[in-house]
Amino acid sequence: MAARYLSRRTVAVGVIGLAVVAAVQFTAAALLGGGHPILAANVSDFGELLVVGAAAVLVFLTAAAYGRGEPGRRQWMLIGLGVSAFWAGEVVFSYYDLALRIAPPSPGLPDAFWVPQYPLMAGGLILAALAYRAFAPTRRSLVISAVFTVAMAALLWVFLVSGLLADPSMTAGAKALSIFYPAGDLLLEVAPAVFIALVLGSFGGARLATPWRIMAVGIALLGVTDSLYSYLTQVGTYASGSWIDWGWPLGYLLIGIAALVARDAYGV
């Protein structure tokens, strides 16, 4: 059903974006497997910066498509600022990774950009949740999203947080950040996105709910990737250019596509 109202622009961006992500990650994996970790890191980092930067542009264009004072403009502007904050953090991380060839300190300068993405993204999502709550009764959607969030938080505790807290080799700051990122994904981004999609879907608004469903999937992918990154970093097996690096560009690509789908669905 959703494909009937997707514009050619949205479909083209999705296909091209997916092709770029696949080309970058397969090339990086081949270089890493061939014993060229520095080249693999270059390809992976630059590819991720390209995709995330493009996603930020798409979100800002969607925000600009709304008139001044319209709720959609503020929502997407905050989300765009959140994506841009992540992109800026990736620029700094890539400088450490590629120019200095060292792992950035944790906490470190990249975190000064990565951390603000959460209140910015959460602000946009919460504004959307407040704007759309008038469409239908919200109690059922709130209960479902709360149960989902609690279940995911329990899994996060069992498989990641408990191990991080017990790790004597990590500093308190490193532990706090390793826990904050996946927890922030879940509590500040995934939960409100799921709530919005449920509210809009509950009154038959599948067309309106589709952008937020795509958003929820993209953010959930980011949360899973952040959790796996924290775990692999903890056990010392993460390498730039490895399979986990699919998660960030794909997650942000979905956020960019969600912005385009919103323009198609709302006619802006």
Side-chain angles (χ1 to χ4, degrees):
M1 295 295 291
R4 294 181 182 178
Y5 63 81
L6 295 184
S7 66
R8 292 182 178 178
R9 171 196 61 201
T10 300
V11 174
V13 169
V15 171
I16 293 171
L18 184 59
V20 170
V21 172
V24 167
Q25 297 307 322
F26 280 127
T27 301
L31 289 170
L32 187 63
H36 303 284
I38 295 176
L39 285 176
N42 275 271
V43 171
S44 180
D45 288 356
F46 282 118
E48 186 175 327
L49 288 173
L50 174 65
V51 173
V52 177
V57 171
L58 293 175
V59 175
F60 282 131
L61 288 175
T62 295
Y66 287 87
R68 291 188 178 276
E70 290 187 44
R73 188 182 185 93
R74 293 191 297 271
Q75 296 158 17
W76 287 105
M77 183 61 68
L78 283 171
I79 292 170
L81 290 172
V83 176
S84 298
F86 178 84
W87 181 85
E90 286 298 293
V91 170
V92 178
F93 179 89
S94 297
Y95 175 74
Y96 278 97
D97 193 30
L98 304 180
L100 302 181
R101 297 186 184 179
I102 59 173
S106 181
L109 186 56
D111 300 300
F113 297 96
W114 286 335
V115 170
Q117 74 173 301
Y118 291 95
L120 290 168
M121 293 281 288
L125 293 167
I126 290 170
L127 282 178
L130 293 174
Y132 299 128
R133 65 180 177 177
F135 281 93
T138 58
R139 180 175 298 178
R140 181 173 179 271
S141 299
L142 183 61
V143 169
I144 293 174
S145 59
V147 170
F148 167 80
T149 302
V150 170
M152 293 299 100
L155 291 175
L156 191 64
W157 175 270
V158 171
F159 291 103
L160 179 64
V161 175
S162 58
L164 288 172
L165 291 175
D167 188 348
S169 65
M170 298 181 70
T171 66
K175 288 181 181 181
L177 285 172
S178 296
I179 295 169
F180 171 79
Y181 288 124
D185 290 325
L186 175 61
L187 300 176
L188 299 177
E189 298 180 352
V190 176
V194 169
F195 173 75
I196 297 166
L198 288 171
V199 168
L200 292 178
S202 66
F203 76 106
R207 181 186 181 105
L208 301 181
T210 298
W212 301 105
R213 290 171 178 167
I214 297 172
M215 175 75 71
V217 172
I219 294 173
L221 181 57
L222 295 176
V224 170
T225 305
D226 283 340
S227 298
L228 290 172
Y229 173 78
S230 294
Y231 172 76
L232 294 176
T233 302
Q234 177 192 7
V235 299
T237 58
Y238 172 75
S240 184
S242 59
W243 59 272
I244 193 177
D245 287 347
W246 281 81
W248 291 295
L250 281 178
Y252 282 102
L253 174 63
L254 286 173
I255 291 173
I257 291 173
L260 287 179
V261 174
R263 294 182 65 179
D264 297 338
Y266 292 85
V268 295

